[in-house]
Amino acid sequence: MTSHVRLVWIYPDLLSTYGDQGNVLILEQRARARGLSVETVHVRSSDPVPDQGDIYLIGGGEDRPQILGAERLRKDGGLNRAVAHGAALLAVCAGYQIMGSVFGGEEGQPVPGLGLLDISSGRGERRAVGELAAEVDPALGLPTLTGFENHMGVTRLGPGVRPLSRTIVGTGNGDGTEGCYAGKVIGTYLHGPALARNPALADLLLAWTVGPLAPIDDTWYQRLREERLAAVLPA
Amino acid sequence: MSQLPLRAQLASALGRTAATLSRATGRGDGSVIGGRVGLMLEPDLLRQLAADRRLALVSATNGKTTTTRLITSALRQLGEVATNAFGANMPAGHVSALSTAKDAPYAVLEVDEKYLPEVLDTTRAGVVCLMNLSRDQMDRAAEIWLLAQKWRRALAAQPTLVIANCDDPLVTWAATGSARVTWVSAGQRWREDSWCCPECGGPLDRKGVDWACRECAFRRPTPSWVLDGEDVIDPRGQRWRLDLQLPGQANRSNAAIALATVAAFGLEPGHALLGLREVTSVAGRYTTVERDGRSLRLLLAKNPAGWLEAFDVADPSLPIILSVNAQGPDGRDTSWLWDVDYRILRGRPVLVTGERRRDLALRLYVAGVPFQLCDSFGQAVAVLPPGRIDVIANYTAFQQIRTEFGRAE
Ligand SMILES: [Zn+2]
């Protein structure tokens, strides 16, 4: 294993509408707190996606940027190569949908995705906006997910993925599950800075890259988690 | 102004009565309820009240209240001006503003971005000012590319004169296709929402204020008004020192738009500036309030672009209190905190309060900005020694602080 982490943030010029930068900053902070060195590349949509990164991040966006982003990633091929080499990927909201075989465009038309997750997404009846809390697949050993969702997507999971979690509060995929994962690829509707309230998820991505991690001071993360979970979970 | 039809007169009068009652019973300034009553009685009221006036609509993500105030202050030299000074910027507020000053020959209305197409279509305003578009309260507002598209359609359908900030690519795209546009180079500080071409999705190349698409013909038009530091250069090339009382680059930008707008009403910059310079604070923003030997300057920041503007005004040598809420008007989602670069605050005493102070605390911790968490605004003030203090708050947090100080202007 390595003591150096290469982060790749995909298309901040197209897919970064909701504070998605937070996930980059949190991974950097939590890696550096363990004495790891971090190198971050922000890949604009006009540039090729490097295939030698360790952890890839992709965020949310409006319909048009989502379609443009998917087209460019398909043409580029860099992300697919990186995942094939064993890189980790956290895909959020619009970015999550792009990782499937297909998602819904502005008028609900099907738009092909990257096929990195065995899912297909379409447009739901109404927008899911609000707090989300969900119990994570026990196989991953993570505490309750907490975050905010804001999307119209409905995502159907195929046999090639496992649900990331089961919702307690909120909509998620639309069938009682939220997000999914396969190998080191994780998708979620927890939009924007999903890792801010789920530092264990950030550590999972880091541990996939560098191996077991030492504990760090989590005071501010935990205070926020406790407040948000107390605000949404039934007493 | 020509006579309103009887039904509209009645609707307008009853709306004013409702507003008075609402004020008398302590339910706010009454401008929204009054307008709602009027519109219920006469759905066509806004069109009728707007007819035969010289009307300017002002819309943007940030600066619309201030720019509306600046334009109004200048235009008052020409005659009475109807305006929604309380920031009630949807049709009910517009009806109320126009009913209240029913003989005013001029009107300047701040318009919520989402309502601009509807209000333009209804009022057929002669002038529309557009300053900027950026991410804002994402859990309730329309997304901004979509919004720009709706603006574009609405503007192309009218002979309106558009006064547009050509330094903002999305605003430029919305105004392109309008019959008449006056381009103003008013600057753009927040660029995170304009790296891609709204026409084709290609990358925008940027150099200073200039920008051009690498893949299609869409590029920054040549402005006829230019904001240059502390000065505005008019279409004849004459340079005007702004000397505003309002602080900061964002307000100079608002002033440049205001000067171009009032010029369309026949008011020369020399005269207009006299009005602009009278404005000292807008709905409590930039106001200084006193408590226990401490002078607190109140700055409002509702979104990432607004925080950049507030940082520009804040004094790096002073301690700063930050207060963040996430009630309905703020947007219930605090994700935007991660779009703001707080590192500029390193080295100042930073106090964090508000209902979502824990979100802000984590944000500052990750940014490496030392801070102190306070359970209330009063506690944050008490922690600091007497002297000057800057305060930045988002919408409802700002209103709470103002209420605590009796809403002193
Ligand atoms: Zn283009």
Side-chain angles (χ1 to χ4, degrees):
Chain A
M1 288 274 177
T2 163
S3 62
H4 181 71
V5 180
R6 289 160 299 181
L7 298 179
V8 181
W9 185 16
I10 297 170
Y11 298 173
D13 54 340
L14 274 179
L15 296 167
S16 161
T17 330
Y18 296 107
D20 298 278
Q21 176 181 227
N23 294 329
V24 181
L25 298 175
I26 287 160
L27 282 170
E28 287 176 346
Q29 187 261 329
R30 298 185 73 81
R32 288 193 180 121
R34 271 116 177 176
L36 303 166
S37 60
V38 183
E39 174 192 344
T40 304
V41 186
H42 295 189
V43 184
R44 292 268 175 93
S45 57
S46 49
D47 296 331
V49 178
D51 55 13
Q52 297 299 313
D54 297 310
I55 303 175
Y56 289 74
L57 297 157
I58 184 166
E62 298 180 43
D63 293 336
R64 262 187 77 201
Q66 184 187 21
I67 296 167
L68 284 167
E71 278 169 6
R72 288 185 190 168
L73 283 171
R74 271 206 327 277
K75 219 183 286 174
D76 179 84
L79 181 59
N80 289 66
R81 284 196 301 279
V83 169
H85 294 163
L89 166 65
L90 176 68
V92 165
C93 210
Y96 169 38
Q97 295 187 339
I98 290 175
M99 297 310 141
S101 55
V102 69
F103 61 91
E106 297 115 306
E107 317 289 340
Q109 79 276 20
V111 180
L114 300 190
L116 290 174
L117 287 171
D118 180 15
I119 58 170
S120 61
S121 304
R123 284 168 87 85
E125 297 289 298
R126 55 183 189 86
R127 188 166 269 276
V129 184
E131 291 282 334
L132 190 149
E135 291 302 345
V136 183
D137 182 345
L140 291 174
L142 302 181
T144 309
L145 278 186
T146 161
F148 198 92
E149 64 180 334
N150 181 358
H151 61 98
M152 282 193 70
V154 173
T155 295
R156 222 161 27 80
L157 309 189
V161 295
R162 286 173 68 104
L164 178 63
S165 61
R166 306 215 159 262
T167 54
I168 310 165
V169 175
T171 304
N173 296 324
D175 63 353
T177 67
E178 183 337 84
C180 74
Y181 70 103
K184 295 185 197 168
V185 179
I186 299 178
T188 177
Y189 274 117
L190 291 184
H191 87 185
L195 300 180
R197 295 201 219 161
N198 302 288
L201 192 57
D203 287 355
L204 179 67
L205 293 165
L206 287 171
W208 278 343
T209 306
V210 300
L213 299 168
I216 54 172
D217 178 5
D218 256 345
T219 310
W220 295 109
Y221 288 96
Q222 292 310 329
R223 280 199 181 187
L224 176 59
R225 269 183 71 77
E226 282 159 22
E227 179 209 275
R228 288 291 89 207
L229 285 169
V232 301
L233 289 183
Chain B
M1 236 192 99
S2 69
Q3 194 66 319
L4 281 175
L6 203 57
R7 188 186 171 85
Q9 281 185 40
L10 188 67
S12 175
L14 282 171
R16 284 199 304 278
T17 306
T20 309
L21 279 172
S22 166
R23 266 193 302 277
T25 53
R27 293 163 193 242
D29 70 66
S31 51
V32 173
I33 182 74
R36 273 197 202 135
V37 167
L39 280 171
M40 222 182 303
L41 295 166
E42 173 52 282
D44 193 37
L45 190 54
L46 180 55
R47 189 189 63 78
Q48 295 180 22
L49 284 168
D52 305 318
R53 303 200 208 222
R54 302 199 59 192
L55 171 62
L57 305 180
V58 180
S59 200
T61 303
N62 286 322
K64 46 190 182 290
T65 306
T66 304
T67 306
T68 298
R69 171 68 76 86
L70 291 171
I71 295 170
T72 303
S73 181
L75 279 186
R76 288 216 162 109
Q77 299 173 75
L78 296 179
E80 197 192 344
V81 185
T83 187
N84 48 346
F86 296 102
N89 61 12
M90 297 178 211
H94 301 146
V95 162
S96 168
L98 297 174
S99 294
T100 311
K102 61 186 194 319
D103 297 320
Y106 298 95
V108 184
L109 297 177
E110 170 189 338
V111 185
D112 180 275
E113 304 91 281
K114 291 185 298 302
Y115 282 87
L116 183 66
E118 175 189 329
V119 173
L120 176 61
D121 184 58
T122 304
T123 61
R124 312 270 154 139
V127 178
V128 173
C129 313
L130 309 173
M131 288 97 74
N132 53 70
L133 272 178
S134 68
R135 58 188 72 180
D136 180 51
Q137 304 170 43
M138 295 304 296
D139 69 316
R140 55 187 208 99
E143 303 185 281
I144 55 172
W145 281 34
L146 202 60
L147 192 61
Q149 196 163 31
K150 289 177 180 166
W151 279 15
R152 188 172 156 112
R153 266 189 223 131
L155 292 165
Q158 303 284 345
T160 304
L161 171 66
V162 182
I163 314 282
N165 179 10
C166 64
D167 295 343
D168 186 316
L170 212 48
V171 164
T172 302
W173 186 74
T176 303
S178 305
R180 293 185 300 148
V181 188
T182 298
W183 299 110
V184 182
S185 170
Q188 186 197 35
R189 179 169 285 248
W190 172 262
R191 296 190 166 177
E192 300 309 315
D193 294 308
S194 38
W195 293 113
C196 290
C197 173
E199 180 70 29
C200 75
L204 289 182
D205 290 320
R206 312 197 57 146
K207 196 176 164 194
V209 290
D210 198 18
W211 52 265
C213 178
R214 205 181 294 166
E215 284 169 14
C216 78
F218 187 59
R219 58 174 309 136
R220 177 176 173 267
T222 307
S224 47
W225 294 77
V226 175
L227 174 66
D228 183 23
E230 308 278 323
D231 301 340
V232 165
I233 304 166
D234 73 16
R236 286 170 307 189
Q238 194 165 345
R239 191 174 269 277
W240 302 90
R241 176 55 53 110
L242 287 169
D243 278 334
L244 302 176
Q245 294 203 57
L246 293 178
Q249 185 63 24
N251 283 319
R252 290 193 282 278
S253 173
N254 295 334
I257 293 281
L259 286 179
T261 303
V262 300
F265 287 82
L267 195 60
E268 290 296 310
H271 287 111
L273 278 168
L274 301 176
L276 265 51
R277 289 173 188 149
E278 282 173 9
V279 180
T280 53
S281 86
V282 178
R285 298 160 209 190
Y286 317 110
T287 296
T288 298
V289 293
E290 305 287 334
R291 172 180 286 185
D292 303 332
R294 290 148 183 95
S295 297
L296 300 134
R297 184 167 52 162
L298 308 183
L299 304 171
L300 173 73
K302 296 187 282 192
N303 48 45
W307 280 82
L308 277 193
E309 292 170 3
F311 290 155
D312 176 52
V313 172
D315 184 339
S317 68
L318 299 181
I320 191 161
I321 301 174
L322 310 178
S323 184
V324 169
N325 285 357
Q327 297 184 19
D330 306 309
R332 295 195 181 275
D333 176 20
T334 54
S335 295
W336 59 268
L337 287 168
W338 295 88
D339 289 324
V340 180
D341 190 350
Y342 288 96
R343 290 174 299 179
I344 192 171
L345 300 180
R346 284 179 189 163
R348 304 178 211 188
V350 177
L351 294 103
V352 172
T353 184
E355 291 160 7
R356 296 302 289 270
R357 56 190 176 277
R358 289 175 193 86
D359 293 75
L360 182 53
L362 175 65
R363 176 69 190 93
L364 294 174
Y365 173 70
V366 170
V369 178
F371 62 92
Q372 186 175 338
L373 193 67
C374 298
D375 289 336
S376 70
F377 184 72
Q379 191 192 89
V381 175
V383 161
L384 291 166
R388 288 162 58 213
I389 301 167
D390 279 327
V391 178
I392 306 180
N394 72 342
Y395 192 74
T396 65
F398 188 88
Q399 301 308 341
Q400 287 168 351
I401 294 166
R402 281 188 75 204
T403 304
E404 214 175 309
F405 285 91
R407 293 203 162 242
E409 267 284 311

